Amino acid sequence: MRSQFTPHLLNPPNPHRLDYSYQYPLRKTAHRLYQKTAIMNPEPFDIVELLVSLPEHNLLVGTQGAIVEQYSDNDFEVEFSNEAGETLALCTLPQQKFIVVWKSATQQ
């Protein structure tokens, strides 16, 4: 008898499918947010996601961080931290290396 609670286990998705958003529902949300904020300029306290890996800082594509400072129109200081709030890396990145996935509602 089939369980009505696990249909995805009985019919697994095609492993050759390029869209893995069914495994990562937040990625789909981040993509929608990117579409809305792509034309907006990044600002301090926005959450960003890397578009490239930074092996010198042990950061992979998709790692999220927060903008803490803006140096020029295209250079931003981005802090990457773990779940405990400890800083993993503090990098100066050009705008082409990340996308904004969340805009800060309050700015000081």
Side-chain angles (χ1 to χ4, degrees):
M1 184 166 126
R2 289 186 171 189
S3 170
Q4 60 181 348
F5 299 108
T6 57
H8 64 284
L9 297 177
L10 298 174
N11 298 316
N14 184 348
H16 302 290
R17 188 173 154 192
L18 295 177
D19 178 24
Y20 291 101
S21 60
Y22 64 91
Q23 290 178 339
Y24 308 103
L26 294 178
R27 294 275 185 240
K28 187 181 282 187
T29 302
H31 181 68
R32 274 190 244 121
L33 286 174
Y34 170 68
Q35 289 175 336
K36 292 179 183 177
T37 62
I39 58 173
M40 295 183 185
N41 291 330
E43 297 174 329
F45 311 114
D46 289 349
I47 303 298
V48 298
E49 187 172 293
L50 284 176
L51 295 174
V52 296
S53 292
L54 301 174
E56 63 274 12
H57 297 289
N58 295 324
L59 299 172
L60 301 175
V61 171
T63 304
Q64 293 186 350
I67 297 176
V68 294
E69 188 66 49
Q70 181 174 359
Y71 294 122
S72 66
D73 288 341
N74 291 329
D75 292 328
F76 298 87
E77 190 78 20
V78 181
E79 179 183 22
F80 298 93
S81 58
N82 61 14
E83 294 80 18
E86 301 168 333
T87 300
L88 300 175
L90 194 60
C91 313
T92 301
L93 300 173
Q95 186 175 353
Q96 296 80 17
K97 292 193 176 186
F98 62 82
I99 60 171
V100 175
V101 293
W102 184 82
K103 295 290 287 178
S104 173
T106 59
Q107 308 257 337
Q108 295 185 11

